Amino acid sequence: MDFATESCRVPPVKFTPQKPSLFGETLESLTDQLEAAGFKRFRAKQVMDWLYKKRVDSWAAMTNLPKDLRSWLDATYILYPTAPVIDKRSNDVTQKLLLELEDKSLIETVLIRAPQKGVGQEDSRKTVCVSIQVGCAYGCKFCASGLAGFRRNLLAAEVVSQLMHICRREDAHTERAREEIASFDNIVFMGMGEPLANYDTLVRTLRILNADWGLNFGARRITVSTSGLAPQILSLAGEGIAVRLAISLHGATNAVRDQIMPINKRYPLEVLLPAAKAFQQRHGRMLTLEFILIEGVNDSLEQARELAKIARELHAHVNCIPYNTVEGLPWKRPSVPRQDAFVDVLRQAKVSCTIRREKGHDIDAACGQLRLKTEKDRVTAEV
Ligand code: SAH
Ligand code: SF4
């Protein structure tokens, strides 16, 4: 069974850009390219500094490079493979960036600011949520990204450039740009798509973000969220990049998970949980279990008790998220007292847990919703 295409409404697309983006290169690959074209090897590091430390957006700004090298770069690469379409701001807490790709696909990137006591808005903790696929093939019943089916995998350059758009925009508001460090604090792969189903892009992106010649961003400040691709969880554990892993559990028994997440048929809990445990043991860090609370589906106290058992066994933190309604889907979040009762069971079982009163509800911040709306508007406009 080819799971990646099984639940697609539209056939997936193989995408080859007219010109590659420089954001897809590593220092090693660029050094090889430059050498083959007759340029000095050390120039590659200078180019990377312009990209990731100075964060320029034109070849002309790379002033310490010889003119013939700039011309070669211009002939060989594009810089940004993504162009902003909508840049929404909501109550200064969540900002959503809708980006158009070369093939007109739309993806979204979200900046979430967590206000901190005693500091101004600009000094709040900033988390960037990136997309890694256009749509998603995994068809979770509650999710907007799954609704439109899967279009294609993103290239590493298309993921890295999402972060660089945000970084450049935030640079204007912080001192960090001058120190050549990223102007946000955390990266989460929780936008559109399933990171572990686009594994090569994920690993290449992580290496570019993590490298000292790249964004120099600590792996421990990066979270990869997965709906539960057990074999790829094991592969990722072996890559030597100590990212945080979040498992989208959303059901504490196979019966409940089967109802809402088709992936559970392929990797049921007895396969998924040992893989998660192996990842946890490899890196010695707490895992996160994401648990969306959906009324009448997974919000019973019995589910809470089962979830507590799993969390203790995995040494995991539980993040409860009241369901964010999606236009066209019937699911609802439970009442606040019911949410509280669920969380109480976890706390009484001494499980570390938080309940996210999520930000950005007002601008459709949940997974995939802004894109879906814009795609719908486009279709309506075309009719
Ligand atoms: N495919 C990956 C990462 C992207 S989804 C995964 O499933 O983990 C990121 C998170 O958003 C997941 O935990 C997902 O279950 C959750 N999510 C999806 N739709 C949601 C909704 N309507 N309300 C709240 N969370 C949602
Ligand atoms: Fe895909 Fe994740 Fe949405 Fe499931 S929750 S459809 S895996 S993006």
Coordinates of all heavy atoms in Angstrom, one line a residue, residues 249-252 289-293 298-313 316-321 338-356:
L249 N -0.6 12.4 19.3 CA -1.2 11.2 19.7 C -2.7 11.2 19.5 O -3.3 10.4 18.7 CB -0.9 10.9 21.2 CG -1.0 9.5 21.6 CD1 0.0 8.6 20.9 CD2 -0.8 9.4 23.1
H250 N -3.4 12.2 20.1 CA -4.8 12.5 19.9 C -5.8 11.4 20.2 O -7.0 11.5 20.0 CB -5.1 13.0 18.5 CG -4.2 14.1 18.0 ND1 -3.6 15.0 18.9 CD2 -3.7 14.5 16.8 CE1 -2.9 15.9 18.2 NE2 -2.9 15.6 16.9
G251 N -5.2 10.2 20.6 CA -6.1 9.1 21.1 C -5.2 8.2 21.9 O -4.0 8.0 21.5
A252 N -5.6 7.8 23.1 CA -4.8 7.0 23.9 C -5.0 5.5 23.8 O -4.3 4.7 24.4 CB -5.0 7.4 25.4
L289 N 3.8 14.8 24.0 CA 2.7 14.1 23.4 C 1.6 15.2 23.1 O 1.2 15.9 24.1 CB 2.1 13.0 24.3 CG 3.0 11.9 24.6 CD1 2.3 10.9 25.6 CD2 3.4 11.1 23.3
E290 N 1.3 15.4 21.9 CA 0.2 16.4 21.5 C -1.1 15.7 21.6 O -1.3 14.6 21.1 CB 0.4 16.9 20.1 CG 1.8 17.5 19.8 CD 1.9 18.9 20.3 OE1 0.9 19.6 20.5 OE2 3.1 19.4 20.5
F291 N -2.1 16.3 22.3 CA -3.4 15.7 22.4 C -4.5 16.8 22.2 O -4.7 17.6 23.1 CB -3.5 15.0 23.8 CG -4.5 13.9 23.9 CD1 -4.1 12.6 23.6 CD2 -5.8 14.1 24.1 CE1 -5.0 11.5 23.7 CE2 -6.7 13.1 24.1 CZ -6.3 11.8 23.9
I292 N -5.0 16.8 21.0 CA -6.1 17.7 20.7 C -7.4 17.2 21.4 O -7.7 16.0 21.3 CB -6.5 17.8 19.2 CG1 -5.3 18.0 18.4 CG2 -7.5 18.8 18.9 CD1 -5.7 17.9 16.9
L293 N -8.0 18.1 22.2 CA -9.3 17.6 22.8 C -10.5 17.9 21.9 O -10.8 19.0 21.6 CB -9.4 18.4 24.2 CG -8.4 18.0 25.2 CD1 -8.5 18.9 26.4 CD2 -8.6 16.5 25.7
N298 N -12.3 12.0 22.1 CA -11.2 11.6 22.9 C -11.1 12.3 24.2 O -10.0 12.3 24.9 CB -9.9 11.8 22.1 CG -9.7 13.3 21.8 OD1 -10.5 14.1 22.3 ND2 -8.6 13.6 21.1
D299 N -12.2 12.9 24.7 CA -12.1 13.7 25.9 C -12.7 13.0 27.2 O -12.9 13.7 28.2 CB -12.8 15.1 25.7 CG -14.3 14.9 25.3 OD1 -14.7 13.7 25.0 OD2 -15.1 15.8 25.5
S300 N -12.8 11.7 27.1 CA -13.3 11.0 28.3 C -12.3 10.9 29.4 O -11.1 10.9 29.1 CB -13.9 9.6 27.9 OG -12.8 8.8 27.6
L301 N -12.7 10.7 30.6 CA -11.7 10.5 31.7 C -11.0 9.2 31.5 O -9.8 9.1 31.9 CB -12.4 10.6 33.0 CG -13.1 11.9 33.3 CD1 -13.7 12.0 34.7 CD2 -12.2 13.1 33.0
E302 N -11.6 8.2 30.9 CA -10.9 6.9 30.6 C -9.7 7.2 29.7 O -8.6 6.6 29.9 CB -12.0 6.0 30.0 CG -11.5 4.5 29.8 CD -10.8 4.0 31.0 OE1 -11.2 4.2 32.1 OE2 -9.8 3.2 30.7
Q303 N -10.0 8.0 28.6 CA -8.9 8.4 27.7 C -7.7 9.1 28.5 O -6.6 8.8 28.3 CB -9.4 9.3 26.6 CG -10.0 8.5 25.5 CD -9.0 7.7 24.6 OE1 -8.1 8.3 24.0 NE2 -9.2 6.4 24.5
A304 N -8.1 9.9 29.4 CA -7.1 10.7 30.2 C -6.3 9.7 31.0 O -5.1 9.8 31.1 CB -7.8 11.7 31.1
R305 N -6.9 8.7 31.6 CA -6.2 7.7 32.4 C -5.2 6.9 31.5 O -4.1 6.6 31.9 CB -7.2 6.8 33.1 CG -7.8 7.4 34.3 CD -8.6 6.4 35.2 NE -9.9 6.2 34.6 CZ -11.0 6.9 34.9 NH1 -11.0 7.9 35.7 NH2 -12.2 6.6 34.3
E306 N -5.7 6.5 30.3 CA -4.8 5.7 29.4 C -3.6 6.6 28.9 O -2.5 6.2 28.8 CB -5.6 5.3 28.2 CG -6.6 4.2 28.5 CD -6.0 2.9 29.0 OE1 -4.9 2.5 28.6 OE2 -6.6 2.3 30.0
L307 N -4.0 7.9 28.7 CA -2.9 8.8 28.3 C -1.9 9.0 29.4 O -0.7 9.0 29.1 CB -3.6 10.2 27.9 CG -2.7 11.3 27.5 CD1 -1.8 11.0 26.3 CD2 -3.5 12.6 27.2
A308 N -2.3 9.1 30.6 CA -1.4 9.2 31.7 C -0.4 8.0 31.8 O 0.8 8.2 32.0 CB -2.2 9.3 33.0
K309 N -0.9 6.8 31.5 CA -0.1 5.6 31.5 C 1.0 5.7 30.5 O 2.2 5.5 30.7 CB -0.9 4.4 31.2 CG -1.6 3.8 32.4 CD -2.2 2.5 32.1 CE -3.6 2.3 32.8 NZ -4.5 1.4 32.1
I310 N 0.6 6.1 29.2 CA 1.5 6.2 28.1 C 2.6 7.3 28.4 O 3.8 7.1 28.2 CB 0.8 6.6 26.8 CG1 -0.2 5.4 26.4 CG2 1.7 6.9 25.7 CD1 -1.1 5.7 25.2
A311 N 2.1 8.4 28.9 CA 3.1 9.5 29.2 C 4.1 9.1 30.2 O 5.3 9.4 30.1 CB 2.3 10.8 29.7
R312 N 3.7 8.4 31.3 CA 4.6 8.0 32.3 C 5.6 7.0 31.7 O 6.8 7.1 32.0 CB 3.9 7.4 33.5 CG 3.4 8.5 34.4 CD 3.2 8.0 35.8 NE 2.4 6.7 35.8 CZ 1.1 6.7 36.0 NH1 0.4 7.8 36.3 NH2 0.4 5.6 35.9
E313 N 5.1 6.1 30.9 CA 6.0 5.0 30.3 C 7.1 5.7 29.4 O 8.2 5.3 29.4 CB 5.1 4.0 29.6 CG 5.8 3.1 28.6 CD 6.8 2.2 29.2 OE1 6.7 2.0 30.4 OE2 7.7 1.8 28.5
A316 N 7.1 11.5 29.1 CA 6.7 12.5 28.1 C 5.9 13.6 28.8 O 5.2 13.3 29.7 CB 5.9 11.9 27.0
H317 N 6.0 14.8 28.2 CA 5.2 15.9 28.6 C 3.9 15.9 27.7 O 4.0 15.6 26.6 CB 5.9 17.2 28.4 CG 5.1 18.4 28.6 ND1 4.9 19.0 29.9 CD2 4.4 19.2 27.8 CE1 4.2 20.1 29.8 NE2 3.8 20.2 28.5
V318 N 2.8 16.2 28.3 CA 1.5 16.2 27.5 C 1.1 17.6 27.3 O 1.0 18.4 28.2 CB 0.4 15.4 28.2 CG1 -0.9 15.5 27.4 CG2 0.8 13.9 28.4
N319 N 0.8 17.9 26.0 CA 0.3 19.2 25.6 C -1.1 19.0 25.1 O -1.3 18.5 24.0 CB 1.2 19.7 24.5 CG 1.0 21.2 24.2 OD1 0.3 21.9 25.0 ND2 1.6 21.7 23.1
C320 N -2.1 19.4 26.0 CA -3.5 19.3 25.6 C -3.8 20.6 24.8 O -3.5 21.7 25.2 CB -4.4 19.2 26.8 SG -4.2 17.7 27.7
I321 N -4.5 20.4 23.7 CA -4.9 21.5 22.8 C -6.4 21.5 22.5 O -6.8 20.5 21.8 CB -4.1 21.5 21.5 CG1 -2.6 21.3 21.7 CG2 -4.4 22.7 20.6 CD1 -2.0 20.5 20.7
R338 N -15.0 20.5 31.2 CA -14.6 19.1 30.7 C -13.1 19.1 30.4 O -12.4 18.1 30.7 CB -15.4 18.8 29.5 CG -15.5 17.3 29.3 CD -16.6 16.9 28.3 NE -16.4 15.5 27.9 CZ -16.8 14.4 28.5 NH1 -17.6 14.5 29.6 NH2 -16.6 13.2 28.0
Q339 N -12.6 20.1 29.8 CA -11.1 20.2 29.5 C -10.4 20.1 30.8 O -9.4 19.4 30.9 CB -10.8 21.5 28.8 CG -11.3 21.7 27.4 CD -11.0 23.2 26.9 OE1 -10.1 23.9 27.4 NE2 -11.8 23.6 26.0
D340 N -10.9 20.9 31.8 CA -10.2 20.9 33.1 C -10.2 19.6 33.8 O -9.2 19.1 34.4 CB -10.8 22.0 34.0 CG -10.5 23.4 33.5 OD1 -9.6 23.5 32.7 OD2 -11.2 24.3 34.0
A341 N -11.3 18.9 33.7 CA -11.5 17.5 34.3 C -10.4 16.6 33.7 O -9.8 15.8 34.4 CB -12.9 17.0 34.1
F342 N -10.3 16.7 32.4 CA -9.3 15.8 31.7 C -7.9 16.1 32.2 O -7.2 15.1 32.5 CB -9.4 16.1 30.2 CG -8.7 15.2 29.3 CD1 -9.4 14.1 28.7 CD2 -7.4 15.3 29.0 CE1 -8.7 13.2 27.8 CE2 -6.7 14.4 28.1 CZ -7.4 13.4 27.6
V343 N -7.6 17.3 32.2 CA -6.2 17.7 32.7 C -6.0 17.3 34.1 O -4.9 16.9 34.5 CB -6.0 19.2 32.4 CG1 -4.7 19.7 33.1 CG2 -6.0 19.5 30.9
D344 N -7.0 17.4 35.0 CA -6.9 17.0 36.4 C -6.5 15.6 36.5 O -5.7 15.3 37.4 CB -8.2 17.2 37.1 CG -8.4 18.7 37.5 OD1 -7.4 19.4 37.4 OD2 -9.5 19.0 38.0
V345 N -7.0 14.7 35.7 CA -6.7 13.3 35.8 C -5.2 13.2 35.5 O -4.4 12.4 36.2 CB -7.5 12.5 34.7 CG1 -6.9 11.0 34.7 CG2 -8.9 12.5 35.1
L346 N -4.7 13.9 34.5 CA -3.2 13.8 34.2 C -2.4 14.3 35.3 O -1.4 13.7 35.7 CB -2.9 14.6 32.9 CG -3.6 14.1 31.6 CD1 -3.3 15.1 30.5 CD2 -3.0 12.8 31.2
R347 N -2.8 15.4 35.9 CA -2.0 16.0 37.0 C -2.0 15.1 38.2 O -1.0 15.0 38.9 CB -2.6 17.4 37.3 CG -2.4 18.4 36.1 CD -2.1 19.8 36.5 NE -1.6 20.5 35.4 CZ -2.3 21.6 34.8 NH1 -3.4 22.0 35.3 NH2 -1.8 22.2 33.7
Q348 N -3.2 14.5 38.5 CA -3.2 13.6 39.7 C -2.3 12.4 39.5 O -1.8 11.9 40.4 CB -4.7 13.2 39.9 CG -5.4 14.2 40.8 CD -6.9 14.0 40.7 OE1 -7.4 12.9 40.4 NE2 -7.6 15.1 41.1
A349 N -2.1 12.1 38.2 CA -1.3 10.9 37.9 C 0.2 11.4 37.8 O 1.1 10.6 37.4 CB -1.7 10.2 36.6
K350 N 0.5 12.6 38.2 CA 1.8 13.2 38.3 C 2.4 13.3 36.9 O 3.6 13.1 36.7 CB 2.7 12.4 39.2 CG 2.3 12.2 40.6 CD 2.9 13.3 41.5 CE 2.4 13.2 42.9 NZ 1.0 13.5 43.2
V351 N 1.6 13.5 35.9 CA 2.1 13.7 34.5 C 2.3 15.2 34.3 O 1.4 16.0 34.6 CB 1.1 13.1 33.5 CG1 1.5 13.5 32.1 CG2 1.0 11.6 33.6
S352 N 3.5 15.5 33.7 CA 3.8 16.9 33.4 C 2.9 17.3 32.2 O 2.9 16.6 31.2 CB 5.3 17.0 33.0 OG 5.5 18.1 32.1
C353 N 2.1 18.4 32.4 CA 1.1 18.7 31.3 C 0.8 20.1 31.3 O 0.8 20.8 32.3 CB -0.1 17.7 31.5 SG -1.6 18.4 32.0
T354 N 0.5 20.6 30.1 CA 0.0 22.0 29.9 C -1.2 21.9 29.0 O -1.4 21.0 28.2 CB 1.0 22.8 29.1 OG1 1.6 22.1 28.1 CG2 2.1 23.4 30.0
I355 N -2.1 22.9 29.2 CA -3.2 23.0 28.3 C -3.1 24.4 27.6 O -2.9 25.4 28.2 CB -4.6 22.9 29.0 CG1 -5.7 23.1 28.0 CG2 -4.8 23.8 30.2 CD1 -6.9 22.2 28.2
R356 N -3.0 24.3 26.3 CA -2.8 25.5 25.5 C -4.1 26.1 25.2 O -4.9 25.6 24.5 CB -2.1 25.0 24.2 CG -1.4 26.2 23.5 CD -1.0 26.0 22.1 NE -0.3 24.7 21.7 CZ -0.3 24.3 20.5 NH1 -0.8 24.9 19.5 NH2 0.3 23.1 20.2

